[in-house]
């Protein structure tokens, strides 16, 4: 039997990262989950969710504070009280319009590349072969640092910047949110532990782009009832 690859998992505590952690547990050996606190509005909620998910899967969890990253931007994603867009469902696929507007307002300079490189440093130091990230095709269309092209480019760079050629792995980069939710249901991923809202309130706001995408995907995949039952536990 071939030995499973040891990996570090980037865990924001959201849907995509939770499903990727689950898949990493199935297909590899996750040695560490990393969550970044860069002052995002939902930081506290995301860290709680990531902690619960790491515990559920029995993987060590570590939070890395990136205060300097927060100070580099004035985007509403890190400024509590600033306006975040509340798109209608039919605007979500308007890549030139509403989706791009949200992308601009939640953009943090070089965020995913910074995250991947920090995780790759941990991976190399811990004798791991890979870094697992939670991308999806839906957001890959508007966020260039969520795209498959970026995934390939990050892999190309890590071949040179790490001695052992740490790889970036994503199990969902070709999937839309609906497919990711279906996969979560099939695999029994505890989505009740996930935090999917850009805001950091007591409950998800149900109006930000991330909430609207999550709820649309639940409905389109006929998984509302399953999710509701999960949340009652
Ligand atoms: Zn929300």
């Amino acid at each position: 039997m071939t030995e499973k690859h040891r990996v570090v998992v980037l865990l924001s505590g959201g849907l995509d990262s939770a499903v990727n952690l689950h898949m990493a547990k199935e297909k590899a050996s996750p040695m560490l989950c990393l969550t970044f606190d860069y002052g995002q509005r939902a930081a506290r909620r995301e860290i709680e969710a990531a902690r619960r998910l790491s515990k559920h899967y029995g993987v060590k969890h570590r939070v890395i504070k990136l205060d300097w990253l927060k100070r580099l931007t004035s985007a509403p994603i890190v400024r509590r009280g600033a306006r975040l867009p509340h798109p209608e469902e039919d605007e979500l696929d308007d890549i030139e319009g509403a989706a791009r507007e949200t992308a601009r307002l939640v953009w943090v300079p070089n965020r995913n590349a910074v995250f991947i490189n920090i995780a790759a440093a941990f991976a190399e130091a811990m004798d791991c072969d890979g870094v697992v990230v939670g991308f999806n095709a839906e957001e890959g269309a508007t966020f260039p640092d969520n795209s498959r092209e970026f995934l390939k480019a990050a892999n190309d760079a890590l071949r040179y910047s790490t001695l052992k050629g740490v790889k970036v792995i994503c199990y969902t980069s070709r999937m839309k949110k609906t497919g990711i939710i279906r996969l979560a249901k099939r695999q029994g991923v505890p989505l009740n532990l996930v935090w999917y809202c850009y805001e950091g309130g007591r409950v998800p706001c149900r109006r930000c782009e991330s909430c609207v995408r999550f709820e649309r995907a639940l409905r389109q995949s006929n998984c509302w009832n399953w999710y509701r039952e999960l949340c009652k536990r």
Side-chain angles (χ1 to χ4, degrees):
M1 197 179 98
T2 52
E3 212 174 301
K4 285 182 169 177
H5 290 301
R6 291 159 56 94
V7 294
V8 172
V9 179
L10 280 184
L11 188 65
S12 71
L15 168 68
D16 306 324
S17 73
V19 172
N20 275 277
L21 168 59
H22 179 96
M23 296 311 289
K25 192 76 189 178
E26 292 280 306
K27 295 176 179 289
S29 288
M31 306 309 293
L32 177 68
C33 293
L34 283 181
T35 305
F36 294 103
D37 179 354
Y38 54 99
Q40 68 274 39
R41 285 152 81 138
R44 224 186 70 203
R45 291 280 174 236
E46 290 183 5
I47 291 166
E48 281 169 8
R51 197 167 277 146
R52 287 195 299 257
L53 285 161
S54 305
K55 193 171 168 214
H56 176 86
Y57 286 103
V59 183
K60 191 168 176 283
H61 179 232
R62 186 165 169 166
V63 178
I64 310 258
K65 269 188 158 300
L66 299 175
D67 290 340
W68 55 269
L69 185 54
K70 170 189 180 176
R71 279 186 234 111
L72 287 181
T73 179
S74 56
I77 190 76
V78 299
R79 270 179 30 235
R80 284 169 184 77
R83 192 189 69 87
L84 273 176
H86 293 153
E88 297 297 328
E89 236 183 62
D90 56 5
E91 292 177 315
L92 291 179
D93 300 317
D94 174 14
I95 290 164
E96 300 300 321
R100 181 160 294 171
E101 169 72 356
T102 298
R104 197 176 58 77
L105 293 172
V106 299
W107 187 258
V108 176
N110 204 21
R111 174 175 46 191
N112 278 353
V114 169
F115 291 177
I116 286 172
N117 274 290
I118 292 173
F122 274 89
E124 184 163 36
M126 294 170 66
D127 198 26
C128 293
D129 314 300
V131 170
V132 174
V133 299
F135 291 176
N136 67 77
E138 214 170 297
E139 283 162 322
T142 38
F143 293 86
D145 64 346
N146 265 256
S147 63
R148 291 184 54 79
E149 291 80 4
F150 173 62
L151 211 52
K152 184 181 174 304
N155 268 308
D156 287 345
L158 287 175
R159 259 209 318 275
Y160 297 94
S161 64
T162 58
L163 286 180
K164 66 181 304 182
V166 171
K167 288 196 167 51
V168 189
I169 301 157
C170 180
Y171 301 105
T172 57
S173 63
R174 292 175 193 275
M175 303 170 79
K176 293 192 171 181
K177 296 267 180 191
T178 310
I180 296 175
I181 294 227
R182 278 199 197 106
L183 176 64
K185 186 183 174 195
R186 236 176 13 248
Q187 295 276 335
V189 180
L191 288 196
N192 54 317
L193 305 183
V194 156
W195 184 261
Y196 52 83
C197 176
Y198 282 143
E199 304 282 359
R202 198 175 54 76
V203 291
C205 76
R206 305 191 66 186
R207 295 168 75 192
C208 74
E209 180 174 326
S210 193
C211 281
V212 176
R213 280 189 192 281
F214 185 80
E215 293 197 0
R216 177 174 74 165
L218 273 181
R219 214 185 43 257
Q220 288 179 345
S221 59
N222 285 321
C223 288
W224 255 116
N225 289 341
W226 167 72
Y227 177 69
R228 223 177 264 133
E229 286 303 311
L230 263 185
C231 290
K232 283 185 197 158
R233 287 186 200 165

